[in-house]
Amino acid sequence: MKKIYIIGIDHVVSKTTYLYEYIKNKNVEVSYFTSDNSGFSKKATKHNIIFLNYGWILSILKILFFLSFRRPSHVELYFSRIYLETFPTLIFCKLLFIPVSLVSRGKDLRDHQEHRYIRKVLTKFICRNVNLILPKENSHIETLKTFNISSKITIHEIYNGIPLKNFEENKFTSNEINFLFLNAFRKLRNVDVLIKAFSLVHKKYLKSKLFLVGSSLDIDFLPQEKQHEEGLLALIKKLELESAIQVFPFSTNPWKNLKGNIGFILPADVVWLNNALLEAMAYSIPPIISNVERASDIIKNNEEGLLIKTDEKALSDAMIFLIENPKKAKSMGEMARKKVILNFSSERVGKEIFQIYKEKLWKS
């Protein structure tokens, strides 16, 4: 049996495991190593999780033990724990001749130039010393081009996919005019613009509601965003929208109690195959997303959702359009689901990754 160790992730939640669902069905054992300061991973009981919560030195020794005595077919690294887990693991793998792949997500490479000097040095070193790099965005590939990476290292862009069997319910409704934002409240997602846009919608439709799901204030998930999140709450209060906007914390199962949504909103600077966006589309909820890089590859405007400029007027107009055109909204939601089924399933991307593993990492 082939074994893969996933190391360098901050925690294990559903979206962490999507890409590996297909691979697990191919008689491959997948183990996740995580220190998980947030505690989210404890709910992922269906997955093989090895906790690194014994302090830095003991955690490193634990990784070394597994690499040495329970040797994997290869290790897949992430950047979330670059200092304490990713970098030391790479060194161990080099010494033990264990193949290594690397997955880059979000800000890992997109914001490389904004990182601290030591992180930039380590990032470049890691990228130059793995066997396979799986970037999730075109911006990552552009950054990698500046690293002078050996031609022996394979770079293959992958994308997010979701397990369709988990998202078969229809969560669209036009009876209750509720809009949903479901993502961490990072600045690049322009939640402030959404709140201001919704205030315009609410003036016209007093029964409209906005659900903001993904706050980290009560769970200390994104301490670097605390001031930003507090500003969002202040904005809601300033606009007197406390009764119309409900704020929920980040959750490992956010969809459980979310029903009756007429639209999913993602007014972000980066929308490329956002997991929550794909999930909403699979649930037949029509999406409204910023018309930024590759957005048109996700949805066709006015057929599978709405592409908009990231400003209050455009966003409020799009939300009002869904309210006033419920049949069109329903049709767009149905088309959005079909798009996910055809193009963005975890099985489809899983097959692609599995083949890459066999060709590039498991040759022997």
Side-chain angles (χ1 to χ4, degrees), residues 6-10 33-34 52 76-82 85-86 89 105:
I6 312 298
I7 300 178
I9 51 176
D10 38 17
F33 290 68
T34 179
L52 304 173
E76 187 139 293
L77 296 177
Y78 284 72
F79 279 121
S80 300
R81 301 282 294 173
I82 185 171
E85 294 166 24
T86 306
T89 298
R105 308 177 292 179

Side-chain angles (χ1 to χ4, degrees), residues 220-238:
D220 196 29
F221 170 44
L222 290 172
Q224 69 272 28
E225 298 286 352
K226 182 179 180 181
Q227 186 175 358
H228 173 62
E229 285 201 42
E230 289 174 343
L232 296 176
L233 296 181
L235 179 60
I236 293 171
K237 185 175 182 180
K238 178 183 177 182

